[in-house]
Amino acid sequence: MTKGKIIFLSKSLIETKILPKLDPSCISPCTGIKAVVGKINDNPTSINIPPPRLSAVDIKHVKKLKKINPGLIYCSMTGFGKTGPKSQHPAYDSVIQAFSGLMELNGIKSTGPLRVGPAVVDYGTGIHAAFAISSALYRRQITGKGIEIDVSMLDAALMLMTSTVSETIATGISKPNYGNDHPDYAGYGTFKTSDRDLVIGAFTKKQTQNLFKALKLENISHEVALMSKKQLKKNRAATTRAGRETS
């Protein structure tokens, strides 16, 4: 395996190995780059640097680092990416959830947008970075070359909403917020019963038919059997209402 170093730069604290003598303030356009590299061993290293100084590191030092060590794998994590009008803005999970539209999709009309409880964007960004670095390590084994990786929290958030984002881009129509329901499928949602909420995942046409059979609504099950997928989506509201009245 070709030896090389990994420098993992982020705008938020990441619990990996942080060298005790390597302070983010020591990395500036004036810093001797060999002195910085000399403090980083062959293990992955995480350095927390806010956006303005991170940009300075990217512009001034990455090429120099690559010359010193061609096997360098450099991964930067930012909120909004390294370019664009918001590139210098700090970000947290809740900020990206709001900016990306994730909170809007998660909410309902009566409450408005709702934040997803766990910090899913933080976790998703970390997974993206880990997978990218793992791929880069494999690539380095074959080629001996390092690579520069750019991961943003906003990119990760949009990935987590891939089907919705791609449909919105294709149609120009944003999905409304349905909360625990599905915007297209009647049998895929949360239904109130006499003593508790019940979550049902009848996603396919056959599953929806079987659901109404189980609810002893044979007539609706027969209607579903005669509908196309497009008709099922169009009649989602009426079909959902029938299921709720039964439950």
Side-chain angles (χ1 to χ4, degrees):
M1 178 177 178
T2 305
K3 285 191 174 182
K5 297 176 173 61
I6 303 172
I7 298 182
F8 193 69
L9 300 179
S10 69
K11 61 129 224 73
S12 59
L13 287 175
I14 305 218
E15 295 300 325
T16 57
K17 183 173 182 181
I18 301 177
L19 298 182
K21 293 183 180 179
L22 188 56
D23 186 89
S25 62
C26 78
I27 302 181
S28 71
C30 302
T31 306
I33 196 65
K34 288 188 178 181
V36 174
V37 175
K39 294 180 182 179
I40 301 175
N41 58 22
D42 283 332
N43 295 315
T45 301
S46 172
I47 310 169
N48 186 56
I49 305 175
R53 282 211 301 270
L54 180 58
S55 296
V57 172
D58 285 342
I59 296 169
K60 292 285 184 177
H61 295 332
V62 176
K63 289 183 179 179
K64 292 181 181 179
L65 285 166
K66 287 180 179 178
K67 286 181 181 179
I68 295 170
N69 186 347
L72 176 75
I73 296 172
Y74 171 90
C75 178
S76 65
M77 295 174 66
T78 61
F80 297 94
K82 294 194 293 184
T83 60
K86 293 185 71 66
S87 61
Q88 299 302 305
H89 293 186
Y92 292 95
D93 183 273
S94 59
V95 173
I96 299 297
Q97 283 199 36
F99 189 83
S100 66
L102 181 58
M103 283 177 62
E104 173 68 19
L105 287 174
N106 192 49
I108 55 177
K109 290 180 181 178
S110 61
T111 63
L114 289 173
R115 182 178 65 84
V116 178
V120 291
V121 177
D122 280 349
Y123 307 147
T125 308
I127 291 170
H128 272 187
F131 186 74
I133 291 170
S134 298
S135 300
L137 286 168
Y138 180 71
R139 176 179 180 271
R140 190 172 70 186
Q141 265 191 312
I142 298 171
T143 65
K145 297 178 181 179
I147 196 170
E148 181 180 349
I149 302 167
D150 178 21
V151 180
S152 80
M153 295 172 69
L154 182 57
D155 287 343
L158 294 175
M159 181 281 299
L160 293 170
M161 301 183 289
T162 298
S163 59
T164 303
V165 170
S166 59
E167 186 172 338
T168 299
I169 292 172
T171 64
I173 301 171
S174 297
K175 287 283 188 183
N177 48 8
Y178 279 91
N180 290 328
D181 290 334
H182 193 283
D184 295 323
Y185 299 98
Y188 199 88
T190 302
F191 301 83
K192 287 192 176 296
T193 66
S194 59
D195 59 345
R196 69 189 69 184
D197 287 347
L198 176 67
V199 176
I200 299 176
F203 191 80
T204 66
K205 181 176 175 179
K206 185 65 175 176
Q207 289 171 343
T208 306
Q209 285 178 248
N210 291 337
L211 170 62
F212 284 107
K213 282 183 181 178
L215 293 172
K216 302 188 185 308
L217 296 172
E218 295 284 348
N219 59 326
I220 297 179
S221 178
H222 181 67
E223 287 180 23
V224 169
L226 299 176
M227 288 182 186
S228 65
K229 189 174 181 180
K230 187 175 181 179
Q231 288 173 321
L232 275 173
K233 289 184 177 182
K234 187 177 180 180
N235 290 279
R236 187 201 72 83
T239 314
T240 302
R241 186 165 56 251
R244 291 199 192 287
E245 290 171 355
T246 304
S247 62

